[in-house]
């Protein structure tokens, strides 16, 4: 008898549904549609941003300032006579603390340059107090005028003379000149600066000090006639002065910190000994002449 066979089940013809791929996001779809040149442009922008970042934080003036703030650039070596220049931006100074604790490279602060006037109508609001306190606490003091491009040099000179009473033992008056009027020729500008210097020199009977930054000096005040005046150079965050001519003072940083002063203060050095600094003060040459005369008697 034949074995009864069960009929085979018909295999299902149904197929499993395909795996659905996630649709790319809108940003990816946009990038996929970009032309090839756009990728090259993006790469160039990334490189440019990197170069700018490197220059700004490590090469530019801000970069040098950042390095100075965090100790990579120290005070210039080989100088022992240190000083500061101040204005109302330093606020109220604790002069006793500055006198007793103000040290730069283990050397005391010897001189203080103080902003007095600007243009023909601005007196620094802290000048009188700073000027008097500097004297009382035994600093060699000086006063400077900030040159304005909006008024005549002669009027500025008379305004400075009217408001600043320099005495024997003070440093010579200082002209801080950092800008040239756009509508004035180089020759007329130099004549204006000389006008201020001559008027002030005639009044105080001593040659004023010229303060300006290195490039401005080379561009506008490099004539031999200006070499007769003591030069105070502003040149920040460098190990040595690049100026090849003679100079007396060097403002080497604007991010100094000292006890008694809140915030930053400009630090300076004098190119010589403390004796030389005192010889630069008003009346010192007259005193030397009297002493030499007395010794000869």
């Amino acid at each position: 008898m034949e074995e009864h066979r069960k009929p085979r089940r018909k295999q299902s013809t149904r197929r499993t549904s395909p795996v659905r791929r996630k649709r790319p996001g809108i940003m990816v779809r946009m990038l996929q549609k970009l032309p090839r040149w756009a990728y090259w442009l993006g790469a160039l922008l990334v490189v440019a941003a990197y170069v700018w970042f490197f220059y700004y934080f490590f090469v530019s003036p801000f970069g040098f300032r950042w390095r100075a703030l965090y100790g990579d650039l120290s005070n210039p070596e080989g100088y022992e006579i240190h000083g500061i220049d101040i204005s109302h931006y330093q606020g109220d100074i604790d002069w006793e603390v500055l006198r007793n604790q103000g040290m730069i490279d283990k050397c005391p602060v010897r001189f203080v340059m103080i902003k007095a006037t600007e243009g023909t109508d601005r007196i620094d609001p802290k000048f009188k107090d700073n000027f008097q306190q500097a004297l009382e606490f035994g600093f060699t003091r000086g006063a400077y005028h900030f040159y304005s491009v909006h008024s005549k040099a002669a009027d500025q000179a008379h305004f400075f003379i009217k408001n600043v009473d320099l005495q024997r033992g003070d440093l010579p008056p200082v002209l801080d000149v950092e800008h040239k009027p756009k509508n004035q020729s180089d020759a007329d500008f130099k004549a204006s600066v000389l006008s201020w210097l001559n008027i002030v020199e005639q009044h105080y009977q001593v040659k004023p000090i010229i303060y300006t930054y290195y490039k401005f000096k080379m561009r506008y005040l490099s004539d031999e006639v200006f070499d007769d005046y003591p030069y105070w150079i502003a040149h920040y965050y460098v190990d040595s002065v690049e100026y090849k001519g003679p100079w007396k003072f060097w403002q080497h940083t604007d991010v100094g910190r000292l006890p008694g002063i809140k915030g930053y203060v400009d630090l300076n050095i004098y190119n010589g000994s403390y004796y030389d600094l005192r010889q630069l003060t008003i009346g010192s040459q007259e005193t030397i002449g009297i002493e030499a005369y007395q010794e000869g008697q």
Side-chain angles (χ1 to χ4, degrees), residues 281-296:
T281 59
I282 296 174
S284 62
Q285 296 302 319
E286 179 182 344
T287 301
I288 292 174
I290 294 174
E291 291 177 349
Y293 174 80
Q294 291 176 344
E295 290 178 359

Side-chain angles (χ1 to χ4, degrees), residues 7-249:
R8 296 180 179 178
R9 291 183 178 179
K10 189 176 180 180
Q11 295 180 353
S12 176
T13 58
R14 190 180 72 175
R15 297 179 180 178
T16 58
S17 60
V19 178
R20 294 183 179 179
R21 296 182 179 178
K22 188 176 180 180
R23 189 180 183 186
I26 185 172
M27 291 300 299
V28 175
R29 296 199 304 271
M30 290 178 62
L31 290 174
Q32 290 174 343
K33 294 180 180 180
L34 288 176
R36 185 180 297 272
W37 62 264
Y39 289 97
W40 284 106
L41 178 61
L44 289 174
L45 290 175
V46 170
V47 173
Y50 175 80
V51 171
W52 176 88
F53 179 87
F54 181 86
Y55 173 82
Y56 186 74
F57 285 97
F58 294 97
V59 180
S60 71
F62 176 86
F64 282 105
R65 183 172 185 172
W66 179 79
R67 290 172 60 194
L69 280 170
Y70 291 94
D72 188 28
L73 290 176
S74 58
N75 293 309
E77 297 182 355
Y79 303 98
E80 296 181 353
I81 309 305
H82 297 267
I84 58 176
D85 60 277
I86 59 174
S87 68
H88 67 278
Y89 289 111
Q90 277 64 51
D92 294 327
I93 296 174
D94 190 327
W95 288 91
E96 186 172 1
V97 171
L98 179 64
R99 172 77 276 177
N100 296 329
Q101 302 178 28
M103 304 288 287
I104 304 173
D105 281 351
K106 299 181 180 180
C107 297
V109 174
R110 295 288 195 177
F111 62 91
V112 180
M113 298 289 200
I114 304 165
K115 183 177 181 180
T117 54
E118 178 176 344
T120 58
D121 58 359
R122 295 184 183 180
I123 302 174
D124 189 274
K126 298 295 294 183
F127 169 64
K128 291 184 178 179
D129 182 63
N130 286 337
F131 201 59
Q132 182 62 32
Q133 294 291 334
L135 177 65
E136 291 183 2
F137 282 89
F139 295 99
T140 298
R141 65 181 186 174
Y144 71 89
H145 172 83
F146 187 85
Y147 187 87
S148 172
V149 298
H150 304 296
S151 51
K152 295 181 180 179
D155 294 338
Q156 296 187 53
H158 291 301
F159 182 68
F160 178 83
I161 293 170
K162 178 181 177 182
N163 291 283
V164 180
D165 180 22
L166 295 176
Q167 302 175 12
R168 180 190 297 271
D170 292 337
L171 289 167
V174 180
L175 176 62
D176 177 350
V177 54
E178 305 177 29
H179 305 283
K180 184 187 83 69
K182 294 181 179 179
N183 60 348
Q184 198 172 37
S185 67
D186 290 1
D188 289 341
F189 173 65
K190 294 174 183 178
S192 296
V193 172
L194 282 173
S195 173
W196 192 98
L197 295 171
N198 290 333
I199 293 172
V200 172
E201 179 179 355
Q202 184 176 5
H203 177 80
Y204 295 103
Q205 294 298 300
V206 64
K207 281 194 172 297
I209 298 170
I210 299 176
Y211 166 95
T212 191
Y213 55 93
Y214 170 68
K215 291 184 179 180
F216 194 90
K217 163 74 172 175
M218 299 304 296
R219 173 65 178 84
Y220 297 109
L221 304 177
S222 60
D223 294 22
E224 291 184 0
V225 65
F226 295 108
D227 292 340
D228 292 335
Y229 298 90
Y231 180 32
W232 177 10
I233 182 172
H235 200 184
Y236 298 163
Y237 323 132
V238 292
D239 295 326
S240 60
V241 174
E242 296 181 12
Y243 178 66
K244 302 304 180 183
W247 55 272
K248 291 292 186 181
F249 299 90

